[in-house]
Amino acid sequence: MNDIMRSILWLPEQASTFAKKVDQLHYFIFTVTMASSLLVGLAAVVFFFKYRERRARQSTPIVEPSVRFELTVIAIPLIFFLAWFVQGFRDFVWYTTPPRNTMDVYVMGKKWMWKFAYPDGPNAIGTLHVPSDRPVRLLLTSRDVIHSFYVPDFRVKMDALPGRYTELWFEATKPGRYQILCAEYCGTWHSQMWGEVVVMPPAEFDDWMTQQKAGLLSDRVDTGGDDGPGFHGTLVEYGKRVAMAQGCLKCHSLTGEPHIGPTWLDLYRRRETLETGETIIADEGYLTDSMIDPRAKIVKGYKPVMPTYRGRLTAPDAAALVEFIKSLRSQNLENVPSKEAVYEPARR
Amino acid sequence: MSQPVASAIPAPTAAPVYQEINYLNADRGVASWLKTLDHKRIGVMYFASVLMTFLLGGIFAMIVRFELTTPEPTFIGANTYNRMFTLHGMVMVFLFMIPAIPGVFGNFCLPLMLGAKDVAFPRLNLMSLYVYWIGSAIVLTGVITGGADSGWTFYAPYSTSTPMTLFPVLLGVFVLGFSSILTGLNFIVTVHTLRAPGITWMKMPLFVWAIYATSIIQVLATPVIGLTTLLVGIEKVGGFGFFDPGRGGDPVLMQHLFWFYSHPAVYIMVLPAMGVMSEIVAAFARKNIFGYKMIAYSSLGIAFVGFFAWGHHMFVSGQSSFDGGGFAVISMLVGVFTAIKVFNWVGTLYRGAILVTAPFIYLCGFLFFIVFGGMTGIALATISPDVHWHDTYFVVAHFHFIMVGAVIMAFLAAIHYWFPKMFGKTYNEGWAMVAAAFIVLGFNATFIPQFLAGNAGMPRRYYMYPERFTGLNVASTMGSTLLAFGFVMILIYLIFALLRGRIAGENPWHSKGYEWRTSSPPIKENFAETLEYPEEPHTYREPGEEPEHVII
Amino acid sequence: MSSSDASAHGGGHGDAHGGNPHLAHHFDSMATQNHASRLGMWLFLGTEVLLFAGLFLGYSVYRHFYHEAFRAASHHLSLTLGTINTVVLITSSFTVAMAYYSVKKGNSKAAAGLLTFTILCAVAFLCIKGVEYNEKFQEGALPGKWFHFHEMQGYPGANMFYTVYFLTTGLHAFHVIVGMAVLIWVLRRTIRGDFDKNYYIPVELGGLYWHLVDLVWIFLFPLLYLI
């Protein structure tokens, strides 16, 4: 059934978990639309024949709808539309809420190519390698104008904006090669800004990644960062270099000690209280915002002395710093009693 | 001062009469046309103008379609192609669609339908025509001097950073906005203050209700696009950085400002078309419109609710899913208003006395296209499928179904319906029906493949495309040639009718619309005598008989 | 039917309507015509509100992003000059309303004087604005790529404040100039004796437009100077 509908509608492959969901809703809307249009059309055709003019300047009765008729005619489409909205909105929220355990990849669009960078792996232009059956999150940005990252076979799309990060997640279900297309007009070669997602079975992907990191593969894909003197290494290593060059380590320690600024050790996803009393989680968004507008959300107990790095950090620099901070995890394993309800297995 | 009062029921007709001294020849010379305050002459001048801009926009469209017959470069370069689709959009939207039905038929018919001698501000009316000409000329200068390549939506930061000169086109659009505002303002005041005694709000023709609702949108929404073009222009020329992330600006803010106008703008385009259809269905089914109040109120409903739906163009722009949901549900409501109208129009056919003519064929086409165009709009508004469809040919097909399928069917229907009134001549019905068939078939052949191309994943604004989309593109181009052929056919037989057509007489359709109660062509003052309006428009009954009332 | 060409003012066939030369041929009475004129002007004022609304939206968005910068930058604006300008505009609104009242009572001379005073207030406003702008040029407190105001360098988004400042006050100043032109035209007609107890609608409409120009400033002033 699914395949029949898919071919009638010229839909491409369903290669992600989202694709299947969205196609179901599509079929529902399509079928109801066709059926109701047919009914309305049939009614019109019947009237057309039955009520054609029989003599010149024939007079006609005055026909009015009752309130009940009007309300019915309003209610029926409204109910369908709202039902579709509810399902569509639920699917959309699912689509925009990445699960916790995603593998992250930084994506940068620029005229007219896509660049990919793995946090602790290689960089690439044009080809994105991902494992199947594992959720992947793309953190998208643009170097110049607005682009849009689109994979028709996954049914996913998200605009890549300059100066900001947007996110898109998917879980590929079928190994294979799938086309990436740019879906926001960006100039002369907008229509050639293509790429490819290579989906590999999880085991094969892990092998590939290990080999990439070790630099053993002769066709190691590495762009060496963005336009700069080639930097061969992971994003994390690059981030450390940036942190030293930009002077971040003058105020932020890597050892757990609070200094002029909060320590970076275990900072990622730490719950921080701001001086306004509000609590935030130090996620990618907070970390990047703090580099650009450090006085917006100051952690309690610290002074607002951090300068802004707007214009001093490129997008890849910022991404690299974030990855570096994420990598700073201590071995702190504490045995603390749970604050929430604890599941006690039933005793046999 | 006493004047004879005409009875509501026209005398039985003799041979059709052509009004010898009428608004077309009452004053002679080009100067009399350029300085006219007569809404009918202004309507005719708009008519000639929009036909020319439609032709220009159509040429750009055909260039785009021919380029797309092959996935590789076909006969023009990438930059030229990008300019072609941009100019096709800009010329069609700003120089044709927005002014067409209100400028031509709003101007011509509104006072006639209200029993008035003119619109409220005849000099502002003439000014709005001049401003339209000036704005169009500026846009055309832009076209000639290199043209724009940003897409008609000119998103920042591409539009503010592209080396192509966007400035004349933006300035032209800015100026055109004033024409739209003046027209809308004029019509609102006309409806409020110039209705003849006897024509209450609930007895106004539905075309007037539609124009009234359109005018509200024109007045309130257009200033925002004026501001947006101003800001983008200033940024391009002055480096102000309002939308430039490098200077702290937000490019998505530009999208919000742009769509705040451009979404209601589509209702500026479609509401008058719906108004025309209400007139056509009542006239050619010879029946009162089924559910007059609901159609009138739903026009206002579309105008009002349509202001809050703009974010459905931005589901994947990075805006929050909460916003997305809000915009989606509001878009659904607008869809309900349209559905009401469709049911009411079909309901009008029930127990009617249907006369098949070219306008009626356009009505059928219109109904088909508005149902599918509308439903695909609802489908897009359901957000999750839109993630796949956004910025693909699915959206292109959707809006062409409404703008060409619905609005242009209505425009053609209006031309054919009111041609005898405007010019006193009839056109050849046989040729008209043949042309209508070409248009309807050609349209389907052009745009249905585009829905499928969008489903298959072909993005918009693509000069070259992956090979797998070739078949659909070739099919679409073939359809577009049929469509173009239909339009050329219409132009030819209408010119022929203008010059050598048979005399139409006062009311060749025997329509009970108010505007038919004067000579064809009308005299300059519109009405030779003060009329009474004892009945609603489109009440078709035997003289002296009480009509049968049926409630469904 | 007699022909009617475009005449310089309201014009029409005086004879056909028995007397009032201002009554246009398509209106049945002066009352309806005046009502139509007022409605038209209010609709036009609505369009102006929508025009500025977009800029106020831009202001709120950027203030939200860069509240530190906006707060600091507003302290660098001259509160004195801004307040004087506000007083000048409010006074001018008062005098234009008085002019309308005078002409309605048949006192064209007083009206002309009051209108002149209003126009002078507009000139004063523009001069003071000019002084403020000049200060900004000296300081480098300019929009976008022209920004080089050292005192505000530490604040991210400072240039944005000045972009918004120049766009909003610039567009407003443009409307002050347009309003002045309208009032000068009304003044000319007043001096010429066109208006009397029975016909003064252009003064009313011109005054309405001027009130809008004032109203926009009344919103701009606190948003830019006070908070």
Side-chain angles (χ1 to χ4, degrees), chain A residues 143-170:
Chain A
R143 185 87 158 84
D144 38 34
V145 297
I146 302 181
H147 299 278
S148 194
F149 186 89
Y150 176 37
V151 183
D153 296 297
F154 295 173
R155 311 285 190 275
V156 299
K157 181 186 288 123
M158 184 55 69
D159 282 4
L161 306 170
R164 222 155 90 178
Y165 270 98
T166 49
E167 65 178 20
L168 178 170
W169 82 273
F170 60 84

Side-chain angles (χ1 to χ4, degrees), chain A residues 117-336:
Chain A
Y118 298 84
D120 54 353
N123 302 325
I125 300 185
T127 313
L128 172 67
H129 288 80
V130 294
S132 64
D133 305 305
R134 281 197 208 145
V136 172
R137 180 170 65 151
L138 304 180
L139 295 159
L140 302 157
T141 189
S142 161
R143 185 87 158 84
D144 38 34
V145 297
I146 302 181
H147 299 278
S148 194
F149 186 89
Y150 176 37
V151 183
D153 296 297
F154 295 173
R155 311 285 190 275
V156 299
K157 181 186 288 123
M158 184 55 69
D159 282 4
L161 306 170
R164 222 155 90 178
Y165 270 98
T166 49
E167 65 178 20
L168 178 170
W169 82 273
F170 60 84
E171 185 179 314
T173 50
K174 275 203 291 224
R177 290 172 170 265
Y178 305 105
Q179 194 165 40
I180 302 168
L181 298 161
C182 176
E184 185 59 58
Y185 177 70
C186 50
T188 313
W189 296 112
H190 162 62
S191 57
Q192 290 286 85
M193 191 165 154
W194 300 352
E196 198 172 60
V197 183
V198 176
V199 178
M200 303 192 269
E204 209 181 295
F205 176 81
D206 291 334
D207 285 340
W208 175 85
M209 190 53 106
T210 323
Q211 285 170 335
Q212 285 291 310
K213 287 200 271 200
L216 288 175
L217 278 178
S218 55
D219 60 340
R220 175 187 161 92
V221 288
D222 214 347
T223 61
D226 176 65
D227 290 349
F231 176 76
H232 291 270
T234 65
L235 259 189
V236 172
E237 288 159 10
Y238 184 53
K240 188 166 182 184
R241 290 266 223 95
V242 173
M244 292 191 294
Q246 294 283 355
C248 315
L249 302 182
K250 291 201 200 109
C251 302
H252 296 280
S253 78
L254 304 178
T255 53
E257 259 178 57
H259 188 42
I260 301 176
T263 182
W264 282 2
L265 184 65
D266 289 325
L267 172 59
Y268 180 63
R269 297 206 76 86
R270 184 160 71 212
R271 199 173 280 273
E272 298 275 38
T273 313
L274 303 179
E275 52 177 16
T276 54
E278 198 188 326
T279 348
I280 49 94
I281 303 239
D283 59 4
E284 285 86 349
Y286 176 75
L287 293 174
T288 345
D289 283 347
S290 300
M291 296 177 211
I292 306 300
D293 185 12
R295 303 202 192 174
K297 297 192 174 126
I298 313 254
V299 175
K300 199 172 175 144
Y302 291 93
K303 291 207 182 33
V305 292
M306 178 172 164
T308 172
Y309 286 84
R310 175 192 300 286
R312 288 157 64 182
L313 287 176
T314 63
D317 289 348
L321 276 174
V322 170
E323 284 308 310
F324 175 54
I325 293 172
K326 277 161 87 164
S327 73
L328 297 170
R329 274 186 290 269
S330 67
Q331 294 306 316
N332 260 341
L333 294 172
E334 287 173 57
N335 226 328
V336 271

Side-chain angles (χ1 to χ4, degrees), chain C:
Chain C
M1 285 290 149
S2 53
S3 69
S4 67
D5 295 302
S7 54
H9 12 169
H13 343 317
D15 338 34
H17 272 109
N20 197 329
H22 299 289
L23 183 62
H25 77 290
H26 54 289
F27 279 105
D28 57 357
S29 69
M30 278 308 288
T32 316
Q33 182 173 306
N34 288 341
H35 172 60
S37 303
R38 276 185 213 110
L39 180 58
M41 182 46 103
W42 278 102
L43 285 170
F44 182 66
L45 295 185
T47 69
E48 297 280 36
V49 169
L50 262 297
L51 181 72
F52 279 96
L55 278 177
F56 280 110
L57 176 74
Y59 169 89
S60 352
V61 167
Y62 290 127
R63 192 183 178 100
H64 174 72
F65 286 163
Y66 307 122
H67 46 96
E68 284 288 334
F70 272 54
R71 214 170 337 145
S74 84
H75 293 145
H76 282 278
L77 293 179
S78 167
L79 189 55
T80 319
L81 292 180
T83 313
I84 295 176
N85 257 348
T86 309
V87 170
V88 163
L89 270 191
I90 295 182
T91 310
S92 72
S93 254
F94 176 67
T95 51
V96 84
M98 290 303 294
Y100 162 70
Y101 182 66
S102 302
V103 92
K104 203 168 162 183
K105 299 269 286 280
N107 191 348
S108 282
K109 265 183 103 175
L114 288 160
L115 282 170
T116 311
F117 186 80
T118 310
I119 293 167
L120 290 175
C121 285
V123 173
F125 178 89
L126 290 172
C127 289
I128 296 174
K129 214 74 223 106
V131 167
E132 284 188 274
Y133 276 15
N134 188 45
E135 235 175 75
K136 305 259 165 336
F137 285 127
Q138 307 287 354
E139 290 173 328
L142 295 168
K145 73 180 192 200
W146 314 98
F147 177 76
H148 59 278
F149 188 25
H150 297 293
E151 281 177 53
M152 292 284 304
Q153 282 291 19
Y155 292 92
N159 64 313
M160 218 35 158
F161 176 84
Y162 294 103
T163 307
V164 170
Y165 174 83
F166 276 95
L167 284 171
T168 48
T169 58
L171 191 64
H172 177 255
F174 175 75
H175 282 81
V176 170
I177 295 172
V178 169
M180 256 171 68
V182 168
L183 290 177
I184 290 173
W185 175 73
V186 172
L187 175 65
R188 262 193 84 224
R189 292 190 67 188
T190 311
I191 292 172
R192 259 199 338 215
D194 283 2
F195 306 126
D196 58 33
K197 283 200 244 275
N198 296 316
Y199 177 68
Y200 47 80
I201 191 106
V203 182
E204 185 177 346
L205 299 186
L208 271 177
Y209 189 76
W210 190 253
H211 289 315
L212 178 87
V213 169
D214 183 24
L215 186 70
V216 173
W217 177 259
I218 287 175
F219 276 89
L220 272 187
F221 173 66
L223 289 177
L224 291 173
Y225 290 78
L226 297 183
I227 59 169

Side-chain angles (χ1 to χ4, degrees), chain B residues 5-11 512 514 517 531-535 539 541:
Chain B
V5 171
S7 74
I9 300 152
K512 294 291 182 78
Y514 291 158
R517 296 169 63 188
L531 298 175
E532 280 191 350
Y533 297 90
E535 293 180 311
T539 309
R541 59 180 175 83

